[in-house]
Amino acid sequence: MWVKKIRWIAGLALATATIILAIAIFSTITSLRDGALEVRVAKDDLYWSIHQIETETMNLLVIAHTLEKEALRPGTLNTRYAVLLSRTDLFKEGEFSDAISVLPNTHRLINSVIARVEALGPLIDSAIKTPNSVPPALIQKLEEIRLLSRDLTLTAHKEHVTHRVNQRTELTDTFFYTEALLCVLAGIILISLITLYWLMHLARKAQQDADFQRRRAESNSDAKSRFLSNMSHELRTPLNAIMGFAQLIQLNSRNLTLEQSQYINQIYKASEHLLSLIIDIMDLSKIESGQLSIEMAPCRIHPIINESVAMVRSMAQAKSISIYKPDIQRDYVLNANHTRTVQVLTNFLTNAIKYNHKGGWVKIELDSTTNGRLRIGVADNGLGISKKDHSKVFKPFERLAHDPAIEGSGIGLAMSSQLVQLMNGQIGFSSKEGQGSYFWLELEVVDMVAPQAIDVMGQTPAPKYFPNFATPEFEYTEGLGDFANGFKTVLYIEDNDSSIKVMEGLFDSFKNIRLISATTAEQGIALARSCRPQLILLDLNLPTTSGLEVAAILKNDPQLSSIPIIAVTANVNGHQEATALGLEFEEFILKPIDITSTKSAIVKYLGKQPSTREDLSVHN
Amino acid sequence: MKTLRLLIAILGLSLCFPVIASGLRAPHGPVVLTVTGNISQTNDHDEAAFDLEMLDQLPQHSITTTTPWFDDSRTFTGPLVRDVLELLGAKGTNAKAVALNDYHIDIPAEDFQEYDVVLATRIDGEILTIRDKGPIFIIYPFDQIPETRNEVFFQRCIWQLVQVIVE
């Protein structure tokens, strides 16, 4: 701040000094120019004109002397006297008077000469009247004037020279000061230029630094995004094996002990938690790098609440916590993203349950605000948050000081905060340690409608959590009745061994579907051509030739293009990448796969397709 | 070139006005100006002598201007040098002007064609005496033509003029 102020003052002082100096130099040069260019006759003729007084006095004296002896016309005396008078008159006005006024002794003397010359009048008249007897006084006076004129000439000469020397000295001083001023001005300009150059250099350097930092940040950000994307893929692939086999064991093994079944369930739950962590970290990373875009659409609050409550129901039941939903008379339509709003609300509910006592309660409250928003609040009577931790609540990876046994990554609320902001909403909370918390989010309301009948009935979507122990919910062998007339062939192109194993396990429950698998793209394409499967399951991350390229080849082959392809991938961006290439898959299944929904998808597409040629021939 | 033009003009005028050319009368009063040299009209042997009356009979021209010799602006009146030289059928490139005290200066003839140079016989309507730098004072129009306002032209403004020699 101070440095900036000083820099400003110095700059201002420098500029002022430059202007003052420039004006001083300009005016000095102007006055010098005026002096040099001044037209002054008297300057050159002064000396000559003074000398002429002496000459004319001399002429008059000669005439006066010779008047008696020679027969000169008396008018001649008068004429010469007039000439002398015209000479002395010259110094009474005009430039000669000005010129003589600066030479004090000359000025005094010339006045004396003028007075004496003008006083000669009567004597001249007398001489003209009696040319034979020139008054001796005239001769005497003229002689005095002649001597005085000589004195005047010498004095004028001396004073004129002195005056010129003085003028020259003054001029020399003026030139010296002007030169000095010019030097100072040049110095100031030089300093200004150096400063300017320096500032430009600093600015350029700062710009370069900023560019470097930006490039490094960009490259860091890119590297981070790539790393996270790879990590996500690499983590999802083993999770596919863990979760897939856990599901298969649970679904297919009817002779498990209760204990074994519980273990399997724990494996599945832990894996699912791990998966949700991976998803959250990816999302947070995307938000931070500005890559996450959220599609806003009108969505109802009632289904959001129901979905969220369904997500946490089993968790609440496990801790004997009651969840109270608001009494909804009218359904609010929000301008938001349904899935993300469910995510935020679920996060609030999960926290309210996690950080609660056994037998506690959680209440969902709705409150329309004055500025056209709806506040969705989640209140609990749980542990609460101590005041010192309030500032950390929405910061990522800040887990508050609670029982370490409570699992959590610490990014849930940070995510929620970012998501609500992306939906142009607001988020907040109030809490007291030991008494409970109240977390809320506010979103824009676009309409209010009557609640949908299905919601009033309280029907909840299918539970996400692993189904209850031992008994599989669906028996797909029965579901295949529609196309039990012949064998169906499904081709699975997948390089990961464990993924193939999981899929094989899944297909074990299909009595009349044959699964053939290929571990490379080339093998897969060859098998597709030779076996003509009714369905192809395709992994997108294949070595050498990518799954997307395989899909393009299959879709462009006229004999294979009608075969439906389901992408089974650990790449969360697979769908966007495919769309970018103009490829359309019948279905996208993200690893780790959910056995039941994958089965449904397979059944759905097999049902649509006719059997292979051999089967058809048999059938016919 | 200018000289040639001057000569043609003078010759032409001389032919057109033979009465003037041949009718230069002798001066009646005191002679104030004598013109000698390369002139065709004379009235006293090879000289042309003018009294004040003869000069007054020529077209009069006034110049009001400031000068180095007087404090204020003054009005100088008299015939143009050009007219006098034409009257006398003068041929030459230079006019040598001589003053009472034998001071003399050369004035190029083209000055008289280019500028209205006056042979002033009067200052502010008063006849110029010798003391007033008379009888004749050559004056250039300094204020009217700034290019003449310098030492060269000031020097040509001879006063107490008594003789002009056309060369």
Side-chain angles (χ1 to χ4, degrees):
Chain A
M1 185 64 195
W2 270 106
V3 173
K4 207 172 178 183
K5 220 171 192 174
I6 288 168
R7 206 185 289 166
W8 262 104
I9 291 167
L12 213 64
L14 218 62
T16 314
T18 311
I19 291 167
I20 290 170
L21 276 175
I23 290 170
I25 290 169
F26 181 77
S27 54
T28 312
I29 289 173
T30 307
S31 73
L32 283 175
R33 189 193 60 184
D34 289 348
L37 296 181
E38 194 183 28
V39 177
R40 284 270 164 200
V41 174
K43 212 157 55 180
D44 303 312
D45 286 356
L46 182 71
Y47 201 51
W48 158 260
S49 298
I50 287 172
H51 177 64
Q52 283 298 301
I53 295 173
E54 190 190 343
T55 311
E56 288 304 328
T57 311
M58 197 66 190
N59 284 342
L60 204 56
L61 195 59
V62 170
I63 291 169
H65 270 301
T66 53
L67 203 59
E68 287 176 320
K69 297 161 198 162
E70 293 174 28
L72 278 175
R73 280 194 293 135
T76 314
L77 186 69
N78 204 22
T79 303
R80 295 315 317 178
Y81 180 54
V83 171
L84 179 60
L85 279 171
S86 75
R87 286 283 153 200
T88 52
D89 281 353
L90 193 62
F91 291 94
K92 288 163 84 174
E93 63 174 323
E95 285 184 15
F96 288 88
S97 168
D98 294 343
I100 216 101
S101 65
V102 295
L103 313 172
N105 289 333
T106 310
H107 194 224
R108 188 175 45 77
L109 276 171
I110 196 123
N111 284 341
S112 172
V113 169
I114 290 169
R116 281 162 189 266
V117 169
E118 286 177 350
L120 283 177
L123 288 169
I124 296 285
D125 287 346
S126 165
I128 291 167
K129 278 175 194 161
T130 54
N132 296 331
S133 60
V134 174
L138 179 61
I139 305 290
Q140 191 199 334
K141 294 270 182 201
L142 280 171
E143 194 64 43
E144 283 173 16
I145 292 169
R146 191 186 67 82
L147 288 172
L148 203 60
S149 301
R150 165 56 53 88
D151 207 13
L152 172 66
T153 308
L154 295 174
T155 306
H157 183 237
K158 195 180 81 186
E159 275 196 325
H160 195 45
V161 167
T162 315
H163 181 67
R164 283 173 77 158
V165 169
N166 288 342
Q167 270 191 321
R168 202 180 302 134
T169 314
E170 275 177 27
L171 206 62
T172 312
D173 287 352
T174 312
F175 273 119
F176 173 76
Y177 289 127
T178 313
E179 283 161 7
L181 285 177
L182 272 172
C183 287
V184 174
L185 192 65
I188 287 174
I189 290 169
L190 193 70
I191 290 168
S192 306
L193 282 175
I194 292 169
T195 312
L196 198 68
Y197 178 80
W198 181 62
L199 286 175
M200 279 168 69
H201 172 73
L202 283 185
R204 206 183 304 127
K205 204 162 164 243
Q207 179 69 43
Q208 280 171 353
D209 284 355
D211 284 352
F212 177 72
Q213 294 290 352
R214 186 172 48 77
R215 274 201 300 275
R216 199 167 67 175
E218 277 170 5
S219 106
N220 281 350
S221 173
D222 284 353
K224 188 174 140 195
S225 296
R226 268 200 311 279
F227 169 77
L228 284 169
S229 178
N230 287 341
M231 277 308 286
S232 159
H233 179 263
E234 294 306 315
L235 290 169
R236 277 170 179 274
T237 306
L239 267 181
N240 187 46
I242 297 168
M243 292 174 82
F245 286 128
Q247 289 174 86
L248 287 172
I249 293 168
Q250 196 71 35
L251 285 168
N252 300 341
S253 309
R254 292 171 188 277
N255 51 354
L256 286 180
T257 64
L258 186 63
E259 205 171 31
Q260 282 169 330
S261 187
Q262 278 174 346
Y263 291 164
I264 295 294
N265 203 38
Q266 283 304 319
I267 291 172
Y268 184 80
K269 271 183 160 180
S271 308
E272 202 172 46
H273 181 65
L274 189 56
L275 180 64
S276 72
L277 264 180
I278 293 165
I279 291 168
D280 279 355
I281 289 172
M282 281 294 289
D283 277 353
L284 192 64
S285 148
K286 274 186 180 174
I287 288 172
E288 282 179 347
S289 60
Q291 289 172 347
L292 190 81
S293 58
I294 287 181
E295 274 180 41
M296 303 284 276
C299 48
R300 289 160 174 259
I301 185 63
H302 204 179
I304 290 171
I305 292 172
N306 283 339
E307 269 183 51
S308 307
V309 171
M311 294 269 196
V312 298
R313 182 162 289 148
S314 59
M315 190 183 176
Q317 281 167 358
K319 281 191 85 170
S320 311
I321 286 167
S322 319
I323 299 176
Y324 298 98
K325 288 201 278 184
D327 182 21
I328 295 174
Q329 302 299 327
R330 283 198 291 179
D331 205 352
Y332 292 91
V333 180
L334 306 172
N335 182 28
N337 180 291
H338 179 92
T339 314
R340 295 303 184 179
T341 312
V342 170
Q343 190 180 341
V344 174
L345 191 55
T346 307
N347 178 248
F348 284 179
L349 290 170
T350 311
N351 286 339
I353 295 163
K354 244 196 264 179
Y355 303 106
N356 212 328
H357 312 281
K358 208 169 173 71
W361 51 259
V362 175
K363 280 181 195 162
I364 302 171
E365 295 167 359
L366 293 182
D367 194 7
S368 59
T369 62
T370 49
N371 54 354
R373 286 161 176 268
L374 178 70
R375 175 177 282 207
I376 308 149
V378 174
D380 66 65
N381 65 341
L383 307 178
I385 301 161
S386 71
K387 197 143 190 146
K388 67 179 170 59
D389 288 336
H390 279 202
S391 60
K392 298 180 187 169
V393 165
F394 292 117
K395 286 186 178 165
F397 311 111
E398 291 278 2
R399 288 210 59 206
L400 309 181
H402 280 306
D403 184 0
I406 299 172
E407 53 183 27
S409 61
I411 58 172
L413 281 172
M415 268 290 297
S416 298
S417 168
Q418 300 272 16
L419 288 173
V420 171
Q421 278 174 36
L422 282 172
M423 291 191 285
N424 302 321
Q426 279 185 318
I427 192 166
F429 77 100
S430 56
S431 182
K432 225 168 186 183
E433 194 171 13
Q435 291 185 14
S437 305
Y438 174 70
F439 277 82
W440 55 266
L441 75 150
E442 279 181 12
L443 292 168
E444 189 193 349
V445 176
V446 287
D447 202 4
M448 276 193 284
V449 292
Q452 284 174 335
I454 190 162
D455 293 329
V456 177
M457 287 166 73
Q459 190 174 342
T460 55
K464 186 179 154 65
Y465 271 84
F466 197 70
N468 279 332
F469 320 113
T471 325
E473 280 195 340
F474 306 100
E475 184 51 80
Y476 280 94
T477 43
E478 293 160 13
L480 286 169
D482 288 350
F483 50 100
N485 290 329
F487 265 104
K488 305 279 176 178
T489 307
V490 174
L491 171 63
Y492 185 29
I493 309 175
E494 167 68 78
D495 66 319
N496 184 273
D497 203 35
S498 61
S499 293
I500 294 174
K501 288 275 181 342
V502 169
M503 199 58 83
E504 282 172 357
L506 182 148
F507 271 78
D508 279 348
S509 60
F510 295 136
K511 296 289 184 261
N512 49 357
I513 304 176
R514 177 170 58 140
L515 178 75
I516 52 172
S517 48
T519 51
T520 66
E522 293 72 22
Q523 195 188 358
I525 294 164
L527 275 174
R529 284 187 177 135
S530 59
C531 299
R532 300 289 170 87
Q534 280 74 41
L535 178 67
I536 295 172
L537 305 174
L538 179 63
D539 177 29
L540 295 185
N541 293 73
L542 293 170
T544 62
T545 311
S546 82
L548 291 172
E549 285 171 293
V550 173
I553 292 166
L554 294 174
K555 290 283 176 192
N556 289 329
D557 190 323
Q559 291 179 314
L560 304 175
S561 59
S562 60
I563 303 174
I565 304 175
I566 297 176
V568 184
T569 180
N571 179 2
V572 285
N573 299 320
H575 194 260
Q576 285 100 302
E577 286 170 17
T579 312
L581 290 172
L583 286 170
E584 275 187 30
F585 289 91
E586 269 66 17
E587 194 102 13
F588 250 94
I589 296 176
L590 197 59
K591 290 177 191 170
I593 61 168
D594 179 65
I595 299 289
T596 48
S597 56
T598 308
K599 275 184 174 178
S600 308
I602 291 166
V603 169
K604 181 177 160 194
Y605 288 100
L606 277 184
K608 280 181 188 171
Q609 290 294 311
S611 306
T612 52
R613 208 181 311 145
E614 296 92 283
D615 293 338
L616 278 173
S617 65
V618 169
H619 182 70
N620 287 340
Chain B
M1 198 61 200
K2 275 182 180 172
T3 316
L4 190 68
R5 241 182 6 219
L6 168 67
L7 289 175
I8 291 167
I10 290 168
L11 270 173
L13 280 168
S14 308
L15 289 169
C16 289
F17 304 104
V19 181
I20 299 169
S22 61
L24 189 66
R25 67 165 174 84
H28 302 313
V31 173
V32 293
L33 178 70
T34 309
V35 183
T36 58
N38 198 0
I39 53 170
S40 58
Q41 299 295 315
T42 56
N43 54 8
D44 185 8
H45 302 97
D46 56 348
E47 294 179 352
F50 289 87
D51 58 12
L52 189 60
E53 194 189 336
M54 287 165 76
L55 291 176
D56 285 349
Q57 277 170 355
L58 288 164
Q60 297 295 296
H61 193 88
S62 286
I63 295 171
T64 302
T65 181
T66 53
T67 62
W69 309 284
F70 302 101
D71 280 342
D72 306 315
S73 181
R74 310 293 281 263
T75 302
F76 301 88
T77 313
L80 293 174
V81 181
R82 183 165 62 226
D83 290 347
V84 173
L85 292 180
E86 276 171 17
L87 177 72
L88 300 178
K91 293 171 190 167
T93 57
N94 186 53
K96 186 176 182 180
V98 185
L100 253 181
N101 61 348
D102 297 330
Y103 172 85
H104 55 83
I105 182 91
D106 289 338
I107 304 170
E110 63 248 41
D111 269 17
F112 307 129
Q113 293 304 316
E114 207 156 326
Y115 315 114
D116 290 336
V117 186
V118 165
L119 286 176
T121 57
R122 283 171 181 76
I123 182 161
D124 294 336
E126 298 290 321
I127 290 173
L128 279 167
T129 62
I130 291 175
R131 187 175 178 178
D132 294 335
K133 305 179 179 65
I136 296 169
F137 197 160
I138 288 184
I139 290 291
Y140 281 69
F142 302 116
D143 285 0
Q144 289 72 27
I145 301 171
E147 68 187 54
T148 61
R149 194 166 187 88
N150 61 54
E151 286 86 339
V152 171
F153 289 96
F154 289 143
Q155 214 176 26
R156 290 174 188 170
C157 290
I158 189 167
W159 75 72
Q160 291 169 348
L161 176 75
V162 289
Q163 192 186 4
V164 175
I165 304 162
V166 181
E167 295 171 328

